[in-house]
Amino acid sequence: NASLFAPQPITTTLVIYGQLLSNSNTHKGRRGLRREREVEFMESVELDLLVKELRNTFESGKTRSFEWRKAQLKSLLKLLEEKEEDIFMALHKDLGKHHVEVFRDEIGALIKSVDYALDNLKTWMTGKKAYTPLAAFPSSAEIVPEPLGVLLLFSSWNFPIGLSLEPLIGALSAGNVVVLKPSEIAPASSEFLAKNIPLYLDKKSVKVVQGCQKVGEQLLQYKWDKIFFTGSSRVGRIVMSAAAKHLTPVALELGGKCPAIIDSLSRSTDRQTAINRVVGGKWGSCYGQACIGIDYLFVEEKFLSVVIDLLKATIKRFYPKREYMTKIVTKQHFQRLSSLLKDPEVAGSIVYGGSIDSDTLFIEPTILVDPPLDSEIMTEEIFGPLLPIITLKNIEDCIGFLRGKPKPLAIYAFTHNENFKNRLVAETSSGSIIFNDAIVQYLCDTIPFGGVGASGFGHYHGKFSFELFSHAKPVLRRNFWTEFTFRYPPWDEGKLKFMRLLYRFDYFGLLLLMLGLKR
């Protein structure tokens, strides 16, 4: 088809390329392979032009103005408000999410973030004065935020709108231009972004590139001013490796096995509230398919039966219908989760749920007690509706357990014990620690969100997003009024004495030395 090779929008070209790659396994003829290579070449040309256009836009300077940034944020807000129903439909198609969950976790959270950025943008953009010592007199200094340039953002499939637009808010606030690569595992959401972002945002400053893994690999071959990636540790390593070729800075939002800890709460109302928040933190956000979701639970042995009974009753109360549960995203993910339960010892630890429907890719909310610690369910991130419970004789023994594991994105602890809280803060390391709740840290714009160690690096949300995509440029100003000749050779012991006093900011000693009263 000759029209296949006519100039097309970049998103169309890359989708066609992905389809041809898939078909090439069954059509190995020379003609098919030649067409695949031709489309691959065309894709490279298209990407070259796309990156060049973004670079030219940034170099023009228009994205640096307050007016441009404000206009982009307002347009993004307009998109969220006018296309709410379309977002509901896309996320239901991709993940089976209930529209109320979609608004809570994605649309509403994004509206809040945009409003916060609009309210604070002028302040964030304003340079901050910096102290200069008297020894540098006369001088002044300030720290001026400047945009990094051309950014590449990779988003994830579990919150495909939220995890695409949340970093974009920071990138636009900071005055950058952006390529956004949504996850192909959520195709309806990816298509929504590709279709609507050009209608609302500056087409020459924000590009959406759709496509498969090959497209992502192709994008990584270019030089970017920063790469922001949300996803798995495995792909995060690939991103870092590619970025190293160009010394490109990277921010990785990964995950890990986030634990929750339930102390033996004495009041029944506190117990129920804690269980509500644990159930919400495990199954309430994308049905356990969330990087900040609760992965497993610590409970004291004496409190176990109480916790299990409350968990069972609360799950039944929160999820009386399947429509309130997000679906497992793909057959591959369903098979991975199912395989976690195939170990006989793991299966033997199930105390609630465990039913599986391969036709609908449904796994019932499942509770397990003390599965083997060396089993895959306890060594790999679960990312699904399975909740292992680890029992301890003393709840504070969890600290030693956590110190021996990779640092998680979050630790959730439900306790009134202030000494225990202090120990958790002082003796464990995680992206964040939350007492007596779960997930809510993601919605707070005034604190940074991000990981540490294996759970990622780089913080964003609110002002931290602005700072992540900005360079804090120091600006030092001096004049020609004074000149200190001790800075220059030829050297002598007098200059050495002068510098010893100067670097200690010993101004009285300097005065005495200049007056000849100090040796």
Side-chain angles (χ1 to χ4, degrees), residues 155-458:
S155 65
S156 185
W157 54 262
N158 51 344
F159 300 92
I161 304 299
L163 294 180
S164 293
L165 301 186
E166 186 68 49
L168 183 62
I169 292 167
L172 296 175
S173 297
N176 297 283
V177 297
V178 177
V179 168
L180 172 62
K181 169 63 175 70
S183 172
E184 68 276 13
I185 298 176
S189 299
S190 178
E191 181 63 30
F192 169 83
L193 292 167
K195 176 183 176 181
N196 288 285
I197 281 183
L199 301 178
Y200 286 84
L201 301 182
D202 184 347
K203 296 178 184 179
K204 294 186 177 181
S205 302
V206 182
K207 306 285 186 180
V208 180
V209 175
Q210 297 189 87
C212 61
Q213 177 183 337
K214 295 286 186 182
V215 174
E217 293 172 357
Q218 186 81 0
L219 286 168
L220 286 172
Q221 301 307 309
Y222 291 86
K223 177 175 173 54
W224 308 94
D225 295 302
K226 191 154 198 169
I227 299 174
F228 182 95
F229 171 81
T230 302
S232 70
S233 299
R234 179 186 64 83
V235 181
R237 292 185 181 93
I238 296 172
V239 171
M240 283 194 69
S241 178
K245 297 176 185 177
H246 299 291
L247 296 179
T248 299
V250 175
L252 298 181
E253 295 297 330
L254 305 176
K257 295 183 73 65
C258 300
I261 305 157
I262 300 186
D263 202 355
S264 298
L265 302 169
S266 58
R267 292 195 295 269
S268 60
T269 53
D270 291 347
R271 293 176 183 178
Q272 185 60 66
T273 299
I275 295 300
N276 289 348
R277 294 171 182 178
V278 167
V279 171
K282 177 60 184 179
W283 294 280
S285 291
C286 205
Y287 204 45
Q289 301 169 110
C291 60
I292 56 171
I294 293 172
D295 191 274
Y296 63 101
L297 194 59
F298 287 112
V299 176
E300 284 188 344
E301 292 176 355
K302 63 183 180 182
F303 196 43
L304 176 63
S305 61
V306 173
V307 168
I308 291 176
D309 288 344
L310 287 171
L311 283 171
K312 291 178 180 179
T314 305
I315 290 170
K316 292 175 181 177
R317 181 161 50 91
F318 282 7
Y319 303 106
K321 298 179 181 178
R322 285 271 294 273
E323 67 186 77
Y324 302 134
M325 304 178 193
T326 299
K327 69 181 182 181
I328 306 303
V329 65
T330 63
K331 186 175 182 179
Q332 177 185 356
H333 284 270
F334 173 83
Q335 291 172 340
R336 178 187 62 82
L337 289 166
S338 300
S339 69
L340 296 178
L341 302 177
K342 289 181 179 178
D343 183 331
E345 290 188 75
V346 172
S349 69
I350 296 174
V351 297
Y352 178 80
S355 65
I356 293 174
D357 184 345
S358 58
D359 293 332
T360 60
L361 305 185
F362 177 73
I363 298 177
E364 187 182 11
T366 302
I367 303 171
L368 311 93
V369 175
D370 289 325
L373 295 179
D374 60 353
S375 60
E376 191 174 354
I377 200 170
M378 286 307 300
T379 57
E380 300 294 329
E381 185 177 8
I382 296 171
F383 226 67
L386 315 178
L387 179 65
I389 299 177
I390 305 303
T391 60
L392 303 168
K393 292 190 180 298
N394 186 321
I395 196 65
E396 295 193 28
D397 292 342
C398 70
I399 293 175
F401 184 96
L402 293 173
R403 287 172 63 87
K405 299 295 181 181
K407 299 173 182 179
L409 186 57
I411 294 174
Y412 305 108
F414 297 84
T415 181
H416 292 304
N417 187 329
E418 293 300 324
N419 181 63
F420 183 31
K421 291 179 184 179
N422 292 336
R423 286 195 64 197
L424 283 168
V425 172
E427 299 178 34
T428 67
S429 181
S430 57
S432 59
I433 185 163
I434 298 87
F435 291 110
N436 301 326
D437 211 334
I439 306 294
V440 293
Q441 77 277 14
Y442 183 85
L443 299 174
C444 188
D445 293 306
T446 56
I447 59 176
F449 178 84
V452 59
S455 57
F457 49 84

